[in-house]
Amino acid sequence: MRNKFDMQLDSLKEQLTNMGELCEVAITKATEAILEGKEEQAREVILADEEIDQAEKDIERLCLKLLLQQQPVAKDLRQISAALKMITDMERIGDQASDIAEILLSTDLKMEMNNKDIGVMAQAAAKMVRESVRAYVEQNMMLAKKVMTADDEVDRLFDKIRQEIIEYIAKENGDGGEDAVDLIMVAKYLERIGDHATNIAEWVEFSVTGNHRIATEVHERKSAGEVK
Amino acid sequence: MRNKFDMQLDSLKEQLTNMGELCEVAITKATEAILEGKEEQAREVILADEEIDQAEKDIERLCLKLLLQQQPVAKDLRQISAALKMITDMERIGDQASDIAEILLSTDLKMEMNNKDIGVMAQAAAKMVRESVRAYVEQNMMLAKKVMTADDEVDRLFDKIRQEIIEYIAKENGDGGEDAVDLIMVAKYLERIGDHATNIAEWVEFSVTGNHRIATEVHERKSAGEVK
């Protein structure tokens, strides 16, 4: 028979999945809005950010309830702690999607920013978010590692877009530079979303194995005498 | 005799002032870190962001307690609601300071980014944050309006820095463009901090007068038939 803790954990995973979907939709809609100049859609993304903030609060409350009432240990404890940390990254992903949408509303975009790479980058970032949350739900280390690897591709796309835009500004002698800078900004926010999805994947690793990159790094720096 | 609500409100204002100071320090330290290449200081800013997040949670809890226990009405109710909204903007300010610090840690800055305007912009943004919180504490509309006006100057500095950097990239034919883009990013985050301080000032206006820009805009759009 399944105990109460397991049932509450299922509910937690369901809520995380829903929050992840809200983030994914926000990324896709914000990028589409900016690439196609859809102002109303940009406003929707900004409003939806409040839903994401609320989801974080609800999940945090559930996690604290689980910690206090069930006093979990070992892997159960790690799963709840990981969820508590993950939602901070998910909330930041919502913020970044909202920041992308804000760019459309706060500037006079003259140039249509139909940049194919930005679309590819947005898809890749949204996929990372989806898979990092799924990796947690399934406690699937392989999938978590896949997300970490996917971040290299998102970083590469950012470098590529940045380089293209720098070359564009140089070639055009600064004409249209403002729109070009807006485009770099969008790419930067997408790159940060990739970082947050990677953080989520690292919390999955902690949840499954008990290891976390930051803990390992501090340990290594301690051994090297850098940290007291 | 002062009643319990007033005493709790004083405590709320004290906590908001402290959170505001954490934000101010984060902005100043993050900008200094990136302009002078101080990596350890950048790491401190990122860690301090957790303190800011915690401050938000503590203040939120106090606000909810005040709402539920004291059932405030009219201006008292507006003061608590305004505080509840302000802390979201303050938390985002902490995030943006942290994002500035991250830029230093995640890139290989080759060029020393000793840009005077960035320093001026950081000071202006930090001052806006300080004064917006003080405007709330003193329920001072004049000061809130001053913050809103100061945002124009921060926006102007952003436009100036962006233009200078675009011209730099064009002149150097793209050489050093990556560092230049990092600098624009720092300016963008500072500009966003100015936006959040403006939001805080708008909540002060709501608190004092009961009017809020967004409510007015929706009302105007309704009158124009744009919103149902």
Side-chain angles (χ1 to χ4, degrees):
Chain A
M1 207 187 84
R2 295 171 47 70
N3 60 29
K4 192 174 172 201
F5 180 80
D6 284 338
M7 284 191 293
Q8 285 178 315
L9 193 59
D10 282 348
S11 160
L12 172 63
K13 287 178 175 177
E14 200 184 309
Q15 286 186 43
L16 282 169
T17 303
N18 290 342
M19 187 178 174
E21 277 164 13
L22 290 176
C23 291
E24 209 188 316
V25 170
I27 299 164
T28 312
K29 278 198 165 180
T31 313
E32 190 187 277
I34 205 155
L35 291 179
E36 300 176 14
K38 295 179 173 172
E39 292 200 5
E40 204 48 45
Q41 186 164 320
R43 266 187 276 270
E44 280 167 28
V45 172
I46 292 165
L47 285 176
D49 189 34
E50 294 198 8
E51 253 183 277
I52 294 175
D53 289 354
Q54 189 54 51
E56 185 199 14
K57 284 173 192 167
D58 292 342
I59 295 172
E60 189 184 63
R61 203 168 303 122
L62 177 58
C63 287
L64 292 178
K65 203 173 102 179
L66 272 160
L67 284 178
L68 295 172
Q69 288 180 354
Q70 307 281 347
Q71 311 261 344
V73 291
K75 185 162 193 308
D76 290 343
L77 175 60
R78 291 202 306 273
Q79 277 199 75
I80 310 300
S81 324
L84 258 181
K85 298 298 289 186
M86 281 166 58
I87 50 175
T88 307
D89 285 293
M90 292 165 82
E91 189 262 335
R92 289 297 298 281
I93 289 170
D95 289 344
Q96 317 266 359
S98 190
D99 283 331
I100 293 174
E102 288 267 2
I103 290 179
L104 179 63
L105 301 181
S106 66
T107 55
D108 295 320
L109 278 182
K110 284 155 227 109
M111 174 171 88
E112 199 173 307
M113 299 206 300
N114 200 351
N115 184 302
K116 205 174 126 254
D117 286 326
I118 289 275
V120 174
M121 208 179 161
Q123 275 181 3
K127 190 178 173 194
M128 283 178 72
V129 175
R130 181 170 63 244
E131 296 199 330
S132 64
V133 177
R134 190 156 67 84
Y136 175 83
V137 169
E138 300 174 1
Q139 294 287 294
N140 181 339
M141 261 309 288
M142 290 272 287
L143 195 53
K145 290 278 180 203
K146 196 182 146 202
V147 171
M148 295 179 205
T149 310
D151 193 39
D152 296 338
E153 175 62 12
V154 170
D155 286 349
R156 198 189 60 75
L157 279 167
F158 173 68
D159 289 343
K160 185 176 171 227
I161 292 169
R162 179 173 58 183
Q163 200 47 46
E164 280 169 4
I165 292 176
I166 289 169
E167 281 163 20
Y168 171 85
I169 294 174
K171 188 168 67 71
E172 300 290 321
N173 243 316
D175 286 352
E178 294 176 18
D179 288 347
V181 165
D182 281 337
L183 198 58
I184 295 189
M185 238 51 104
V186 175
K188 180 68 183 179
Y189 287 130
L190 290 171
E191 188 249 348
R192 299 288 291 145
I193 288 173
D195 290 343
H196 287 293
T198 303
N199 289 348
I200 295 172
E202 286 174 356
W203 286 113
V204 175
E205 179 175 7
F206 169 77
S207 177
V208 176
T209 68
N211 296 325
H212 191 281
R213 182 183 54 82
I214 292 174
T216 315
E217 269 176 17
V218 171
H219 179 74
E220 280 165 7
R221 289 172 66 210
K222 262 191 189 157
S223 307
E226 285 178 52
V227 186
K228 268 175 282 197
Chain B
M1 209 189 81
R2 291 171 51 67
N3 62 26
K4 193 174 171 203
F5 180 79
D6 283 338
M7 283 191 294
Q8 284 178 318
L9 192 59
D10 281 349
S11 162
L12 171 64
K13 288 178 175 179
E14 200 184 311
Q15 286 185 46
L16 282 169
T17 304
N18 290 341
M19 187 177 174
E21 277 165 12
L22 289 176
C23 291
E24 209 188 316
V25 169
I27 298 165
T28 312
K29 278 199 164 180
T31 312
E32 190 187 277
I34 204 154
L35 291 178
E36 300 176 14
K38 294 178 172 171
E39 292 199 5
E40 204 48 45
Q41 186 164 320
R43 267 187 276 271
E44 282 167 28
V45 172
I46 293 164
L47 284 176
D49 189 34
E50 296 198 7
E51 256 183 274
I52 295 174
D53 290 353
Q54 189 54 52
E56 185 200 14
K57 285 172 191 167
D58 293 342
I59 295 172
E60 189 183 66
R61 202 168 302 122
L62 177 58
C63 287
L64 294 178
K65 203 173 103 180
L66 272 160
L67 285 178
L68 296 173
Q69 289 180 354
Q70 307 281 347
Q71 312 261 345
V73 292
K75 184 163 194 307
D76 289 344
L77 175 60
R78 291 203 306 272
Q79 276 198 79
I80 310 300
S81 324
L84 258 181
K85 297 298 290 185
M86 280 166 59
I87 51 176
T88 307
D89 285 293
M90 291 165 83
E91 189 264 334
R92 289 296 300 281
I93 290 170
D95 289 344
Q96 317 267 359
S98 192
D99 283 331
I100 293 174
E102 288 268 2
I103 289 179
L104 178 64
L105 301 180
S106 66
T107 54
D108 296 319
L109 277 183
K110 284 155 227 110
M111 172 170 91
E112 199 173 307
M113 298 205 303
N114 201 351
N115 184 303
K116 207 176 124 254
D117 287 327
I118 289 274
V120 174
M121 208 179 161
Q123 275 181 4
K127 191 177 173 194
M128 283 177 73
V129 174
R130 180 170 64 245
E131 297 199 330
S132 64
V133 177
R134 189 155 68 83
Y136 175 84
V137 169
E138 301 174 359
Q139 294 287 296
N140 182 340
M141 260 310 288
M142 290 272 287
L143 196 52
K145 289 278 179 203
K146 196 181 145 201
V147 171
M148 296 178 204
T149 310
D151 194 39
D152 296 338
E153 174 62 12
V154 170
D155 287 349
R156 196 191 60 78
L157 279 166
F158 173 68
D159 289 342
K160 183 175 174 230
I161 292 169
R162 179 174 59 183
Q163 199 46 44
E164 279 169 5
I165 292 175
I166 289 169
E167 281 164 20
Y168 171 86
I169 293 174
K171 187 167 69 71
E172 300 291 320
N173 242 315
D175 286 352
E178 293 175 20
D179 288 348
V181 166
D182 282 337
L183 198 58
I184 295 189
M185 238 47 107
V186 175
K188 179 70 184 180
Y189 287 130
L190 290 171
E191 188 249 347
R192 299 289 290 146
I193 288 174
D195 291 343
H196 287 293
T198 304
N199 290 348
I200 295 172
E202 287 173 355
W203 286 114
V204 175
E205 180 174 4
F206 169 78
S207 177
V208 176
T209 67
N211 296 325
H212 192 281
R213 181 183 54 83
I214 292 174
T216 314
E217 269 176 16
V218 171
H219 179 76
E220 281 165 4
R221 288 172 65 212
K222 261 191 190 159
S223 308
E226 286 178 49
V227 185
K228 268 175 282 198

